[in-house]
């Protein structure tokens, strides 16, 4: 066997080495929560947890958009599809279980459920097929809201409507700060791209260091270093570690469109419950495009049947609620890797590429291999 040239072996880039050395040299005990599915994917894919010292722990919060979409909203989408509407949404959302089944199950039973890559695809379908009643199931955080707002501002056809299940991140993070054992937060870069860093300042004022981070391994390592610096200085503020994209004021154009079409409301987060000021609903002038109101008479009977079916169903025990709030790890779930896999998910955390269970299953049963 030939000797290998050491220079050909994979190595950690110098900047990541320095960031890791700084973290590993710190004796500070720090429990950090991130609230971003892409952050979790990076953590697991590159094995960042295994590279961190034992005194630094990074846990996952409710940062996966399909994971926090309520059973009620999924059930309404399924009821709409079973009642004759054409329900279109993102691929991951089709597999998320409602109270008794998923949109993909409804499709298998003959309902018209279609996958799209954007709300614009849905509007195009409504324009092309005026005989269809097209409903776009709009889920996600502030990142996806501007596109939905823009679509409604362009006056889509009469046969198009929006089933709104949009969430606002800061109120949920503030709730978790009071309910979960955590010392600091890594804020999601994509959300901050839209809303800026200022909405996270109330959290910092209550004593929690916050760092906005991008999505590369080095971005997350930088975020951890920024939090350690705050702890060392005895301060709590919002540090922007994603300067190449995020501005303090966010994206004014996107925010203007959002505020023109949507208004703040309470919202039900799966695994957490109702959170005040964490949701969005259409303003009165756009309510004619609200699928939950426009088609209520159409889907009410199907919704009642779905709920009755759910009462009889023997559900697999799922601890997504504990995982989404940082109170448990996927490996603590009795179904993990057994009755719950990406091919056959028992709960939403195993469905999406942003779900913690999915990433732990794919990359390592312990949350990621060694960074190499």
């Amino acid at each position: 066997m030939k000797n290998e040239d050491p220079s050909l072996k994979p190595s950690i880039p110098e900047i990541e080495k320095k960031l890791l050395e700084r973290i590993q040299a710190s004796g500070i005990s720090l429990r950090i929560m991130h609230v971003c599915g892409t952050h979790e994917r990076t953590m697991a894919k590159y094995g960042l947890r295994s590279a961190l010292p034992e005194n630094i722990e990074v846990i996952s919060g409710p940062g996966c958009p399909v994971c926090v979409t309520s059973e009620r909203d999924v059930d309404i989408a399924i009821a709409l599809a079973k009642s004759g509407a054409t329900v279109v949404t993102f691929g991951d959302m089709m597999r998320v279980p409602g109270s008794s089944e998923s949109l993909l199950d409804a499709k298998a039973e003959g309902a018209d459920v279609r996958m799209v890559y954007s709300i614009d695809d849905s509007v195009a379908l409504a324009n092309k097929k005026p005989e269809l009643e097209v409903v776009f199931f709009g889920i996600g955080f502030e990142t996806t809201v501007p596109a939905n707002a823009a679509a409604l501002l362009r006056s889509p056809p009469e046969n198009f409507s929006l089933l709104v299940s949009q969430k606002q991140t800061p109120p949920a993070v503030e709730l978790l700060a009071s309910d979960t054992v955590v010392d600091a937060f890594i804020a999601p870069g994509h959300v901050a791209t839209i809303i800026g860093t200022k909405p996270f300042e109330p959290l910092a004022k209550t004593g929690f260091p916050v760092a906005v981070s991008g999505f590369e391994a080095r971005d997350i390592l930088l975020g951890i270093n920024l939090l350690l610096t705050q702890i060392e200085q005895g301060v709590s503020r919002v540090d922007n570690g994603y300067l190449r994209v995020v501005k303090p004021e966010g994206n004014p154009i996107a925010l203007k469109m959002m505020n023109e079409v949507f208004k703040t409301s309470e919202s039900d987060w799966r695994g957490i419950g109702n959170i005040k000021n964490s949701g969005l609903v259409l303003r009165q002038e756009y309510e004619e495009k609200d699928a939950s109101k426009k088609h209520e008479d159409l889907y009410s009977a199907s919704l009642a049947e779905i709920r009755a079916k759910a009462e009889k169903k023997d559900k697999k025990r799922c601890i997504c609620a504990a995982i989404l709030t940082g109170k448990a790890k996927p490996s603590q779930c009795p179904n993990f890797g057994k009755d719950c896999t990406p091919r056959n998910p028992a709960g939403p955390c195993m469905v999406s590429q942003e779900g913690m269970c999915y990433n732990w299953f794919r990359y390592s049963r312990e949350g990621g291999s060694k960074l190499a």
Side-chain angles (χ1 to χ4, degrees), residues 5 22 29 34 50 63-65 110 128 132 202 208 213 231 263 265-266 268 272-273 298 304 311 334 347:
D5 183 349
R22 158 88 165 90
S29 294
H34 72 71
S50 62
C64 164
K128 185 178 179 180
L132 299 179
F208 290 92
S213 175
I231 298 293
K263 63 181 180 179
S265 69
E266 61 183 18
D268 184 25
I272 301 175
L298 175 68
E311 291 178 1

Side-chain angles (χ1 to χ4, degrees), residues 51-73:
L52 297 175
E54 290 185 2
N55 53 296
I56 304 291
E57 183 182 8
V58 180
I59 61 175
S60 179
C64 164
V66 305
C67 299
V68 299
T69 302
S70 70
E71 279 191 356
R72 174 185 175 276
D73 289 347

Side-chain angles (χ1 to χ4, degrees), residues 23 32-52 56-61 186 213-222 224 353 356 359-360 363-364 366-371:
I23 293 169
I32 303 166
M33 174 179 277
H34 72 71
V35 282
C36 172
T38 310
H39 285 163
E40 181 56 37
R41 185 168 176 78
T42 300
M43 291 286 300
K45 183 176 181 179
Y46 295 103
L48 294 186
R49 286 189 178 89
S50 62
L52 297 175
I56 304 291
E57 183 182 8
V58 180
I59 61 175
S60 179
I186 295 178
S213 175
F215 308 107
E216 300 295 329
R218 66 187 63 182
D219 288 321
I220 294 177
L221 294 174
L222 173 60
I224 295 172
Q353 292 185 5
M356 191 174 188
N359 284 298
W360 277 52
Y363 294 109
S364 170
E366 295 301 327
S369 58
K370 293 283 185 182
L371 186 66

Side-chain angles (χ1 to χ4, degrees), residues 271-336:
I272 301 175
N274 194 280
I275 304 177
K276 187 178 179 182
N277 298 325
S278 69
L280 292 165
V281 294
L282 292 173
R283 292 190 179 276
Q284 186 175 358
E285 51 268 44
Y286 293 95
E287 280 188 350
E288 63 180 15
K289 293 299 182 184
D290 185 342
S292 66
K293 295 181 179 179
K294 179 181 180 181
H295 300 300
E296 188 172 5
D297 292 340
L298 175 68
Y299 69 77
S300 57
S302 291
L303 184 59
E305 291 174 6
I306 290 168
R307 289 173 175 167
K309 182 179 177 181
E311 291 178 1
K312 299 176 182 178
K313 185 175 180 180
D314 182 19
K315 291 186 178 181
K316 299 173 184 175
R317 193 164 76 85
C318 176
I319 65 166
C320 273
I323 291 169
L324 286 169
T325 52
K327 296 173 182 176
K329 297 176 181 178
S331 53
Q332 293 174 280
C333 179
N335 292 321
F336 179 75

Side-chain angles (χ1 to χ4, degrees), residues 107-123:
K107 180 178 176 67
E109 294 169 7
D112 191 359
V113 179
R114 308 187 190 191
M115 184 190 79
V116 292
Y117 293 101
S118 72
I119 190 172
D120 291 339
D121 293 342
S122 306
V123 174

Side-chain angles (χ1 to χ4, degrees), residues 118-231:
S118 72
I119 190 172
D120 291 339
D121 293 342
S122 306
V123 174
L125 175 64
N127 277 315
K128 185 178 179 180
K129 300 283 188 178
E131 70 276 13
L132 299 179
E133 197 62 55
V134 177
V135 176
F136 178 67
F137 188 13
I139 62 102
F141 304 122
E142 294 93 337
T143 321
T144 59
V145 179
N148 293 348
L152 294 189
L153 287 168
R154 290 193 293 266
S155 300
E158 187 176 341
N159 63 321
F160 173 85
S161 58
L162 177 66
L163 179 59
V164 183
S165 187
Q166 307 275 188
K167 313 291 186 188
Q168 299 192 88
T169 307
V173 178
E174 290 171 19
L175 176 68
L176 288 171
S178 64
D179 184 57
T180 305
V181 180
V182 64
D183 304 308
F185 288 89
I186 295 178
H190 49 40
V191 167
T193 300
I194 303 298
I195 67 174
T197 59
K198 291 181 179 179
F200 295 102
E201 289 178 358
L203 183 64
K205 288 178 181 177
T206 62
F208 290 92
V210 180
V212 176
S213 175
F215 308 107
E216 300 295 329
R218 66 187 63 182
D219 288 321
I220 294 177
L221 294 174
L222 173 60
I224 295 172
N225 272 281
L226 291 172
L227 295 173
L228 284 170
T229 298
Q230 291 187 46
I231 298 293

Side-chain angles (χ1 to χ4, degrees), residues 239-260:
D239 283 335
N240 186 359
Y242 201 24
L243 286 166
R244 61 188 185 274
V245 175
V246 174
K247 299 178 181 178
E249 69 278 12
N251 185 326
I253 296 174
L255 290 170
K256 183 176 182 297
M257 288 192 298
M258 285 172 58
N259 292 330
E260 187 172 342

